[in-house]
Amino acid sequence: MEYLPMGGSIKTIEESLKLAYGEDSELIKDKRIAAVQALSGTGACRLFADFQKRFLPDSQIYIPTPTWSNHHNIWRDAQVPQKSFTYYHPESRGLDFSGLMNDIKNAPDGSFFLLHACAHNPTGVDPTEEQWREISHLFKVKKHFPFFDMAYQGFASGDPERDAKAIRIFLEDGHQIGCAQSYAKNMGLYGQRVGCLSILCEDEMQAVAVKSQLQQIARPMYSNPPVHGALVVSIILSDPELKSLWLKEVKGMADRIIGMRTALKENLEKLGSPLSWEHITNQIGMFCYSGMTPEQVDRLTNEFHIYMTRNGRISMAGVTTGNVEYLANAIHEVTKSK
C-alpha cells in the first residue's frame, strides 16, 4: 500500500492509452500523449478543467444540452466559463444533428468542446459514425479542441474498440484531443476511483512538459491517486487471459442491457401504448431517456415504487427479466392518457 507517484501507475496509464488510442497506436509509440492516472472520470475532467484555466485563462468550454449534471459543477469550480451547444432533439428523442453542427460552426474558432465518446449520459443518443466524421471535419475547419469524456467504453456496444470509434475518427483527422477515462462502469470499480486523463500533444517534448504540469496540478489537490484499483486495472489489462475474460464479461453485460431495451419496448407495444417507444432501442448504453415528464416520474415513484431521476432517465442496468413487465405496465399506466 505504498504511495504511487504523482502521475499514478505507469502500467495503468499504458494500458488505458491502448484502450483509448488503439493497441498499436503510432501516437503511443511516438510518446506524443501526456497522461496521468486520475480519480476516475470526474477527477480526469477536473484536472483538465484546471489545466485549461491555468494555461488558457480566457477560454471557455462548450457543453452539450443536456449533459451529466456534474460536468457543469466541474468546469464551474475550475472557474472556466461555460456555453452550451445543441445536442438532444426532444420531439424525436434522438440527435439534433443540424442544431449541433450549427452551434459548432457558430462558436468562435479554437473553442473547447466537451464531447461524450459513447453512450451519452443522460440521453443514450450517440451520433452515427458518418455524423462523427462530419463533426470531426467541421472541428478541423474551425480549429476547435475536442475533449472526450469516455465514461462508458465497452458499455455501449459491448466492444471497447467500437466504443472508441469517435476518438479514432478524430485521431485519423489529425486533431489534438483530450480524453477522460473511467473504470467505474466497465470494471465495476466505482468506489476505487480509477481513471486516466490523456492529452495528445504535438511531439514528445511537449508531452513531457504537459504531463509535468498535470502533476503540478494534482500534487496540491490530492497528492497522488489510490493504488488498489489501479493494480486491479493493470493486472487485468496486461494479462492476455484475464483481459479476454474481461472483454467477454463486458460484452455479456452490454448485451443483457440491449436485451432489456428490446423487452421493455416489446412489453409496452403489447400493452397497446399509443406512444412510440422506438427510442428505447435506438438509444444505447446504461440509460434510456424515456421522454416521461417529471409528473409522470412522480406517479411511478408514488404509485408503483419505481425510482428514476425526474428528467425521465431510466437506468437500464436496474431492469431485469423479473421486473421488466411490471415496469412496462407502470409506464403504460402513467403515459397512456398523455
Side-chain angles (χ1 to χ4, degrees):
M1 286 293 144
E2 69 277 10
Y3 286 133
L4 283 172
M6 277 185 283
S9 153
I10 303 296
K11 198 90 196 126
T12 298
I13 294 165
E14 282 173 1
E15 295 300 335
S16 298
L17 294 184
K18 285 186 214 166
L19 269 186
Y21 294 81
E23 195 78 32
D24 304 312
S25 169
E26 289 299 320
L27 303 168
I28 298 173
K29 288 175 195 157
D30 294 343
K31 301 184 175 169
R32 281 184 54 197
I33 306 167
V36 293
Q37 184 188 327
L39 307 186
S40 206
T42 301
C45 286
R46 181 58 198 263
L47 272 183
F48 181 81
D50 277 0
F51 179 78
Q52 182 186 343
K53 180 67 181 174
R54 182 169 293 188
F55 293 100
L56 280 167
D58 298 328
S59 66
Q60 51 197 15
I61 183 99
Y62 280 80
I63 292 180
T65 305
T67 192
W68 179 50
S69 59
N70 210 23
H71 282 145
H72 295 291
N73 304 331
I74 291 164
W75 269 270
R76 181 201 65 215
D77 278 16
Q79 297 179 331
V80 175
Q82 298 171 42
K83 290 268 177 76
S84 60
F85 70 92
T86 305
Y87 189 85
Y88 182 67
H89 189 258
E91 285 70 39
S92 67
R93 298 188 184 135
L95 184 68
D96 186 345
F97 187 62
S98 61
L100 179 148
M101 292 297 273
N102 270 334
D103 287 351
I104 294 170
K105 195 170 83 182
N106 295 328
D109 287 8
S111 294
F112 285 78
F113 275 76
L114 169 69
L115 302 170
H116 296 230
C118 64
H120 180 275
N121 177 5
T123 69
V125 173
D126 287 351
T128 64
E129 189 176 317
E130 192 41 56
Q131 287 171 332
W132 274 123
R133 290 189 189 284
E134 288 185 50
I135 293 165
S136 174
H137 176 72
L138 189 52
F139 264 61
K140 201 78 181 148
V141 171
K142 295 287 295 180
K143 301 179 176 64
H144 292 330
F145 185 92
F147 180 74
F148 287 96
D149 187 1
M150 186 158 59
Y152 296 94
Q153 189 179 10
F155 220 111
S157 66
D159 175 5
E161 278 296 293
R162 193 168 150 198
D163 290 351
K165 190 67 192 170
I167 289 175
R168 305 291 169 79
I169 287 168
F170 274 72
L171 296 176
E172 277 167 34
D173 288 348
H175 292 273
Q176 285 177 265
I177 70 162
C179 179
Q181 289 168 268
S182 163
Y183 291 100
K185 290 90 184 171
N186 59 17
M187 283 202 184
L189 295 172
Y190 291 90
Q192 296 293 345
R193 314 311 297 143
V194 206
C196 181
L197 167 65
S198 55
I199 298 173
L200 175 58
C201 303
E202 277 167 22
D203 52 36
E204 183 181 351
M205 208 166 111
Q206 191 184 66
V208 170
V210 168
K211 177 166 182 170
S212 165
Q213 293 301 327
L214 292 173
Q215 290 181 159
Q216 294 285 341
I217 294 167
R219 178 69 174 150
M221 198 190 279
Y222 55 81
S223 195
N224 46 37
V227 68
H228 186 81
L231 284 168
V232 174
V233 169
S234 61
I235 288 167
I236 290 171
L237 293 182
S238 62
D239 180 316
E241 214 172 299
L242 291 175
K243 186 176 179 180
S244 82
L245 178 60
W246 172 69
L247 288 169
K248 190 177 150 205
E249 290 179 356
V250 166
K251 177 150 177 49
M253 174 267 309
D255 284 349
R256 189 196 76 79
I257 286 181
I258 291 164
M260 286 301 103
R261 285 181 178 279
T262 305
L264 179 58
K265 176 175 159 267
E266 284 173 356
N267 271 284
L268 280 159
E269 286 168 353
K270 218 187 296 172
L271 290 163
S273 173
L275 306 170
S276 165
W277 296 101
E278 283 296 317
H279 58 285
I280 296 178
T281 48
N282 289 342
Q283 295 169 8
I284 198 164
M286 195 161 164
F287 302 113
C288 167
Y289 216 48
S290 67
M292 285 186 286
T293 64
E295 295 69 34
Q296 289 168 338
V297 171
D298 289 344
R299 277 192 68 197
L300 283 180
T301 301
N302 298 329
E303 295 173 35
F304 300 94
H305 305 284
I306 292 167
Y307 302 87
M308 65 185 72
T309 52
R310 289 187 84 236
N311 59 8
R313 187 192 78 172
I314 299 169
S315 174
M316 293 306 298
V319 183
T320 67
T321 46
N323 67 23
V324 68
E325 211 174 306
Y326 179 81
L327 174 62
N329 277 309
I331 291 173
H332 180 55
E333 198 53 48
V334 304
T335 58
K336 65 184 180 186
S337 58
K338 196 176 167 187

